[in-house]
Amino acid sequence: MTTLRRKRDEMEAAIRAYEKKTEALRRDLAQVNATLRMFELNGEQEVFPVHMDLNRIFKRFEIGRLCHEALAAAPEGLDTRELALFVIRAKSFDENDAVLRKAISYRIVQALRMQEKRRRIASSGKRRGIRVWIAINQKPASS
């Protein structure tokens, strides 16, 4: 009887160990399947956009310059998303790339915050939770 109980306990322990391994393998398989679905679309391979380093695609102060151009044409001001779309169009990037749009939006906020400290740009509040920027008209210095 003792031998049979010990054998039963060993078999139950082996089954529990195999069930744990099976669960781990199922999770791994689900991750592999999800990764495959990311790269396949209706049995065809999908082409993903290549994301680039924003430090390399913009010249120094270029984002600020492009935002100044956009704000000069819009006296009522533009929000950060509208400015990001303007910059993307000016550089002929993909307008539908949400990752790029968000990254450029962050860069715009950084650049315009510095311009705001220098009193070249002002924030006129928020529109639907997004900061609205306006250009401050600089008067030429008289001699």
Side-chain angles (χ1 to χ4, degrees):
M1 290 293 278
T2 307
T3 306
L4 285 175
R5 286 188 182 128
R6 191 172 354 121
K7 187 64 173 173
R8 179 194 65 193
D9 292 342
E10 287 175 6
M11 292 173 84
E12 286 176 347
I15 289 172
R16 281 193 297 274
Y18 285 131
E19 286 174 348
K20 285 182 183 178
K21 285 182 181 179
T22 303
E23 274 304 310
L25 287 172
R26 282 192 179 125
R27 284 192 302 270
D28 291 346
L29 179 61
Q31 292 297 321
V32 168
N33 286 336
T35 304
L36 282 172
R37 277 194 301 274
M38 283 178 24
F39 290 104
E40 294 176 349
L41 180 65
N42 297 329
E44 297 177 14
Q45 289 190 353
E46 184 177 350
V47 177
F48 283 98
V50 176
H51 295 289
M52 52 210 102
D53 182 11
L54 293 182
N55 290 329
R56 295 174 187 241
I57 60 172
F58 289 105
K59 295 177 184 172
R60 188 170 180 182
F61 305 121
E62 186 176 12
I63 289 179
R65 183 183 53 78
L66 289 170
C67 290
H68 275 282
E69 287 177 19
L71 291 171
E76 71 281 355
L78 295 172
D79 66 31
T80 306
R81 287 183 185 161
E82 293 167 337
L83 287 171
L85 192 57
F86 178 85
V87 169
I88 288 171
R89 287 177 180 160
K91 295 291 280 185
S92 301
F93 294 145
D94 181 16
E95 294 179 23
N96 298 321
D97 188 350
V99 174
L100 180 64
R101 217 175 31 244
K102 190 172 186 178
I104 289 176
S105 294
Y106 284 133
R107 289 298 176 102
I108 287 171
V109 170
Q110 289 173 343
L112 295 186
R113 280 291 196 188
M114 295 305 293
Q115 295 293 318
E116 186 178 34
K117 286 182 180 179
R118 293 181 184 105
R119 303 203 188 282
R120 294 181 184 154
I121 297 281
S123 172
S124 67
K126 292 187 175 184
R127 183 187 315 147
R128 294 185 318 251
I130 302 165
R131 186 159 308 280
V132 176
W133 305 94
I134 56 171
I136 297 176
N137 294 328
Q138 300 278 333
K139 294 181 181 177
S142 58
S143 325

